[in-house]
Amino acid sequence: MRNLKKITILTSIMVLSSFFQPIFSQKNDFIKEYLERLENSRKYLILIAETMPEDKYDFKATPESMSFSENLMHIGWAMDWHSQSLMGGREARDWNTDIELKIDNKSKQEMIDKIDETFSKTIEFIANFDIKRLDERLDYFGSNRTKRQVLLLLADHITHHRGQMLVYMRLNGLKPPRYVLYQ
């Protein structure tokens, strides 16, 4: 009777773990795949930033648009805010006083270095993020979103502003670096 109870418990554990293992695996795969995408996005964005001549960094398509350099640094600001503040709980930088992720008096190379550093910090944060917290919900500009959705929104945001930067290159007669899938 005692052995039957042990066999029943072990069988129950095995059956239940077969249901939950794929769920945990999917979450692990999500982070792994997201980090691969973010790393590829970093490489492509830096290539774009390096290709644009420094004297074109102030270019704007329209007076109300952000400049090439403002788009670049805005991507850094958004990565920092989405990961470190929104998902990580760190107090957000004060846009009016914090100059680390603003153009300020930075050269082209200093901006590229800052973006690269911000990608590194974001990648490290996400790599160490507790996957059990991906389903946590938070307010995202009035919408109730999971932290998984916030990561997807961040990827979209990077792509959106990088696309504007590519258009700025074309408007200046430059051929952007070739797009590589899954950036």
Side-chain angles (χ1 to χ4, degrees), residues 28 39 82 87 98-99 103 123 126-127:
N28 281 328
E39 187 60 52
H82 280 82
M87 291 184 60
D98 188 304
I99 60 170
I103 298 164
I123 288 168
I126 295 168

Side-chain angles (χ1 to χ4, degrees), residues 1-59:
M1 196 64 169
R2 207 171 195 193
N3 284 338
L4 183 59
K5 188 176 182 179
K6 286 181 182 179
I7 290 172
T8 303
I9 290 171
L10 285 173
T11 303
S12 297
I13 290 171
M14 289 172 52
V15 168
L16 286 173
S17 69
S18 71
F19 288 111
F20 290 112
Q21 198 279 330
I23 294 169
F24 291 125
S25 175
Q26 288 174 3
K27 288 182 182 176
N28 281 328
D29 288 347
F30 173 79
I31 293 293
K32 179 183 165 204
E33 291 166 358
Y34 187 86
L35 290 172
E36 177 186 357
R37 179 179 181 181
L38 200 56
E39 187 60 52
N40 289 336
S41 186
R42 174 209 320 233
K43 291 174 190 171
Y44 190 50
L45 179 62
I46 289 174
L47 183 58
I48 291 165
E50 290 172 341
T51 303
M52 184 69 139
E54 189 163 10
D55 66 340
K56 301 291 184 192
Y57 262 54
D58 290 333
F59 177 81

Side-chain angles (χ1 to χ4, degrees), residues 144-161:
N144 185 1
R145 300 288 181 240
T146 65
K147 290 188 174 181
R148 181 183 305 100
Q149 287 174 305
V150 168
L151 289 176
L152 295 172
L153 290 163
L154 173 58
D156 286 348
H157 188 264
I158 293 168
T159 303
H160 169 77
H161 288 285

Side-chain angles (χ1 to χ4, degrees), residues 34 66 101 117 119 183:
Y34 187 86
M66 285 192 280
L101 293 171
E117 176 187 324
F119 265 103
Q183 299 287 334

Side-chain angles (χ1 to χ4, degrees), residues 91-156:
E91 188 174 330
R93 296 174 184 277
D94 183 338
W95 181 254
N96 296 312
T97 59
D98 188 304
I99 60 170
E100 183 178 343
L101 293 171
K102 283 192 171 181
I103 298 164
D104 196 35
N105 293 317
K106 291 177 181 67
S107 68
K108 170 183 171 176
Q109 190 57 54
E110 288 170 327
M111 285 185 258
I112 291 170
D113 291 345
K114 182 52 66 178
I115 287 299
D116 190 40
E117 176 187 324
T118 306
F119 265 103
S120 292
K121 287 178 181 178
T122 302
I123 288 168
E124 180 182 356
F125 174 83
I126 295 168
N128 293 314
F129 190 76
D130 181 359
I131 60 169
K132 294 177 213 150
R133 297 183 60 211
L134 286 173
D135 292 326
E136 288 178 6
R137 301 190 82 79
L138 44 81
D139 177 47
Y140 189 84
F141 298 104
S143 296
N144 185 1
R145 300 288 181 240
T146 65
K147 290 188 174 181
R148 181 183 305 100
Q149 287 174 305
V150 168
L151 289 176
L152 295 172
L153 290 163
L154 173 58
D156 286 348

